[in-house]
Amino acid sequence: MAADPLFGWDLTFKTVEKDIKRKSDVLIAFIHWNLTKRGLRTIGIGDERTLSGDEDKSEVLPTGWNDKDNYTLRYVLEGKLYILHGLNTDGTLIVNLMRSEDLAVSNLALKIDDTVKETSGSIAQMLPGYKDLMYNVKRDLIDTITDRPTTTAETQTSTRNEPNRRLPDDPLRVPSRPHPSGPHPDTRDLWEPPTAPLPNIGRSDLDPFAPGGGGMLFNPFGPRRDLENPGLGVPGGLPRGAVPPGARFDPFGPPLGPPPAPGRRPPPDADHLPPPGGFNDHMFM
């Protein structure tokens, strides 16, 4: 034989029937009954969020539970403190159940006049839709928070101390630097200068402790020029690959011969003077 889902309601209501003043009191009594069925026990009124451990636990609503327009009741379940708040506003009773340990909250809003028809009589007379109401209280107010795991300091500590815990892939996370105890061939240190043959161009502009080198502008006359391929008519030469193979390229300077001997200046660019008779002397008149 199946257990009666309304078992205990008549006894609960009889203990508070003389205290009922308004329709919202019936809803709080009904919610309290559902909380006690789940195993919660009341320890008084108020919103104090600490437990001393010696509180008297009871299945009966405490004295003065409905003395004010709004409700604040304290409950205990498995050593954890829960606080029930009921707020009357514009004909609606907004109820939330907060777990004090981590401030997790569940909510339920009920239209008072649509839910409660009478303040006395059988449950069918007071709450015609009590079956749906019982289901909503259990699902949205109680199970939502009592079945939710808590985040304690112990679990946080154990998570931090797991040495082999794999972090989730994050495309924005910068890879960690190699451990100084030894090389890691699969992990490149992104903070070290690039290896050859990449030129270390621009590092001195970004790193004040970088070794000597050029800035963001490459010096074609510097020591990095290609002496074996002096280029096509450019003092100091074009870098290798500047002109694709087979491409048409008009030199814009005289081809250079072999590099000058050490200590000798390179020859001047012949374009700094016009060729003899190459221009009309009256071209600007």
Side-chain angles (χ1 to χ4, degrees):
M1 182 176 178
D4 183 6
L6 293 178
F7 177 79
W9 164 249
D10 290 337
L11 180 61
T12 298
F13 187 73
K14 287 296 181 181
T15 61
V16 297
E17 184 175 11
K18 64 181 183 303
D19 299 328
I20 299 296
K21 305 173 184 177
R22 48 192 178 270
K23 290 184 176 180
S24 60
D25 292 348
V26 177
L27 289 176
I28 293 297
F30 186 82
I31 293 173
H32 166 80
W33 169 63
N34 280 271
L35 291 174
T36 57
K37 288 181 60 177
R38 177 61 176 80
L40 284 88
R41 296 294 180 265
T42 181
I43 58 173
I45 60 176
D47 55 2
E48 175 63 37
R49 286 166 44 187
T50 59
L51 285 175
S52 62
D54 57 354
E55 291 87 358
D56 293 331
K57 305 175 182 63
S58 175
E59 300 178 11
V60 181
L61 281 167
T63 303
W65 64 275
N66 62 343
D67 285 348
K68 299 180 180 179
D69 292 338
N70 299 320
Y71 309 88
T72 307
L73 301 172
R74 304 171 74 222
Y75 292 86
V76 172
L77 174 65
E78 298 176 353
K80 297 181 178 61
L81 174 65
Y82 293 81
I83 301 179
L84 180 74
H85 290 91
L87 177 63
N88 274 301
T89 174
D90 296 331
T92 301
L93 180 65
I94 300 176
V95 184
N96 65 68
L97 184 63
M98 181 185 71
R99 185 168 55 200
S100 179
E101 183 179 28
D102 56 357
L103 302 183
V105 178
S106 59
N107 300 279
L108 182 66
L110 302 170
K111 291 288 187 181
I112 298 177
D113 290 335
D114 293 343
T115 308
V116 182
K117 299 302 182 182
E118 302 291 341
T119 57
S120 61
S122 65
I123 189 172
Q125 294 173 331
M126 293 185 292
L127 302 168
Y130 69 89
K131 293 182 180 179
D132 292 337
L133 179 59
M134 185 184 302
Y135 174 78
N136 292 334
V137 170
K138 180 179 183 299
R139 181 194 62 183
D140 299 332
L141 192 67
I142 302 177
D143 292 348
T144 300
I145 190 170
T146 56
D147 294 343
R148 186 189 310 175
T150 60
T151 303
T152 62
E154 179 181 355
T155 58
Q156 292 176 351
T157 303
S158 61
T159 301
R160 288 195 300 266
N161 293 335
E162 292 181 5
N164 298 324
R165 181 172 177 265
R166 182 179 179 86
L167 296 176
D169 293 335
D170 186 356
L172 301 180
R173 181 167 54 88
V174 177
S176 59
R177 302 186 64 177
H179 197 272
S181 60
H184 291 248
D186 297 334
T187 305
R188 183 174 64 87
D189 191 346
L190 299 180
W191 307 107
E192 293 298 324
T195 57
L198 297 177
N200 192 15
I201 303 299
R203 181 173 175 82
S204 61
D205 291 340
L206 304 176
D207 186 358
F209 302 102
M216 296 301 292
L217 298 179
F218 178 72
N219 182 9
F221 303 101
R224 294 184 180 276
R225 69 180 185 271
D226 189 357
L227 297 179
E228 298 181 0
N229 183 22
L232 302 174
V234 178
L238 287 176
R240 186 186 300 274
V243 180
R248 177 180 175 181
F249 180 76
D250 295 329
F252 41 85
L256 298 178
R264 297 183 57 185
R265 299 178 60 185
D269 188 350
D271 285 344
H272 71 289
L273 292 175
F279 297 100
N280 186 355
D281 292 339
H282 305 288
M283 59 183 298
F284 297 108
M285 295 181 62

